[in-house]
């Protein structure tokens, strides 16, 4: 994907919607946003309800409902077509949106996410370094609400440190993430993302093979999901590229920002280049 270096360009102002996951914030995109702007693209970071910010009362947190929410947010801003980059839960939302609204999505990047119900093997070393204790904990009704307040660093901080692998996260970024999720009203909705699992499984299972027609890039970290990101998308994506970043854990856009940004810019520009 060398479209930038070979001289191809997307039309100026091409929108790239950015959806981060749990338990980070828009700061996850602090390196990618300038790279997109340098390439003449228009980044639009959106924070899914509950992922570092409170959710509105009654907000539906199934990933299909959030895909509809993202589409509505884009349209409110006058954006009808856009590229999508999704990390973690944002990756599931992005994939569902790309599959269900193909007319809107020009390119899809899924960073460090395996869609609910997709059975793929996470290779080593990620299989040993990526934590698996947080999902069941968050799904247990009321458990996080009872045990996490006042112990946010012991919960979010522990997950962030472990899931980042040997390279770690910048200390200021990590502290900012813990603080964001400690804010009033965030915890119930953040845990709520995990409590829609039954519906998420049904929605993902309902997607037909080849449902994502847009050019797609799977980005994994060697100490995170690695090549399992791509393996999990092969049934859905008609045109799939795969990238594993060797020093990254669960946060390639932060931990290997130049290589990640180059790959994202290239697929977006290639997909949106004038024909």
């Amino acid at each position: 994907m060398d479209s930038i270096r070979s001289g191809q360009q997307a039309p100026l102002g091409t929108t790239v919607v950015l959806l981060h996951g749990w338990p980070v914030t828009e700061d996850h995109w602090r390196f990618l946003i300038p790279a997109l702007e340098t390439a003449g693209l228009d980044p639009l970071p959106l924070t899914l309800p509950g992922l570092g910010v409170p959710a509105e009362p009654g907000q539906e947190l199934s990933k299909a409902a959030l895909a509809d929410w993202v589409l509505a947010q884009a349209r409110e801003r006058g954006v009808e077509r856009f590229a999508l980059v999704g990390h973690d839960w944002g990756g599931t939302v992005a994939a569902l949106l790309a599959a269900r609204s193909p007319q809107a999505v020009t390119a899809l990047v899924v960073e460090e996410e395996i869609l609910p119900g997709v059975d793929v093997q996470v290779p080593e070393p990620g299989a040993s370094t990526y934590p698996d204790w947080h999902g069941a904990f968050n799904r247990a009704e009321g458990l996080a609400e009872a045990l996490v307040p006042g112990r946010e660093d012991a919960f979010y901080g522990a997950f962030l440190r472990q899931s980042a692998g040997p390279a770690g996260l910048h200390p200021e970024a990590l502290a900012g993430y813990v603080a964001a999720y400690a804010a009033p009203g965030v915890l119930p909705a953040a845990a709520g993302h995990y409590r829609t699992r039954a519906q998420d499984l049904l929605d993902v299972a309902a997607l037909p093979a080849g449902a994502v027609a847009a050019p797609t890039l799977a980005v994994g970290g060697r100490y995170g999901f690695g090549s399992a990101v791509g393996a999990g998308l092969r049934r859905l994506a008609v045109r799939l590229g795969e990238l594993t970043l060797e020093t990254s854990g669960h946060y390639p856009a932060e931990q290997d920002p130049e290589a990640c940004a180059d790959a994202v810019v290239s697929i977006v520009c290639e997909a949106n280049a004038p024909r």
Side-chain angles (χ1 to χ4, degrees):
M1 296 179 178
D2 293 323
S3 57
I4 296 297
R5 287 181 286 275
S6 65
Q8 285 184 296
Q9 292 287 333
L12 289 177
T14 295
T15 299
V16 185
V17 174
L18 306 173
L19 306 173
H20 67 78
W22 182 95
V24 299
T25 70
E26 286 184 11
D27 199 38
H28 179 67
W29 308 121
R30 64 190 181 278
F31 300 112
L32 181 57
I33 286 175
L36 294 172
E37 292 173 338
T38 296
L41 303 169
D42 183 14
L44 175 57
L46 295 176
T47 294
L48 296 169
L51 296 186
V53 297
E56 294 293 328
Q59 173 72 52
E60 173 58 56
L61 296 174
S62 76
K63 307 312 164 293
L66 290 173
D68 293 339
W69 179 89
V70 171
L71 187 60
Q73 292 291 310
R75 287 175 172 169
E76 282 182 13
R77 293 161 172 79
V79 178
E80 295 291 333
R81 284 172 56 79
F82 47 86
L84 264 175
V85 182
H87 165 250
D88 187 83
W89 278 132
T92 292
V93 173
L96 283 164
L97 177 49
R100 290 153 57 100
S101 300
Q103 74 287 350
V105 179
T106 61
L108 171 66
V109 179
V110 175
E111 178 197 5
E112 272 292 302
E113 176 69 330
I114 300 170
L115 275 58
V118 175
D119 185 14
V120 293
Q121 186 76 29
V122 176
E124 294 291 354
S128 296
T129 56
Y130 186 83
D132 60 4
W133 47 263
H134 63 293
F137 182 89
N138 277 326
R139 282 193 294 273
E141 196 71 35
L143 185 62
E145 291 90 332
L147 297 180
V148 172
R151 305 178 182 91
E152 284 82 8
D153 187 64
F155 179 54
Y156 300 113
F159 176 85
L160 288 161
R161 293 181 185 96
Q162 187 177 350
S163 62
L169 289 169
H170 192 283
E172 290 183 6
L174 192 152
Y177 296 151
V178 172
Y181 282 78
V186 173
L187 175 60
H193 278 259
Y194 291 82
R195 296 172 187 168
T196 59
R197 181 169 174 79
Q199 186 62 52
D200 295 339
L201 289 171
L202 291 173
D203 291 333
V204 171
L207 297 176
V212 178
T216 301
L217 174 66
V219 179
R222 180 167 175 257
Y223 294 94
F225 294 147
S227 60
V229 180
L233 289 170
R234 287 172 195 160
R235 188 185 76 87
L236 290 179
V238 174
R239 292 178 284 174
L240 178 65
E242 302 181 36
L243 174 66
T244 298
L245 294 171
E246 292 298 308
T247 61
S248 293
H250 193 49
Y251 312 95
E254 299 182 60
Q255 296 178 293
D256 200 343
E258 185 174 349
C260 187
D262 282 350
V264 172
V265 167
S266 290
I267 192 173
V268 172
C269 286
E270 183 177 314
N272 289 278
R275 299 291 187 245

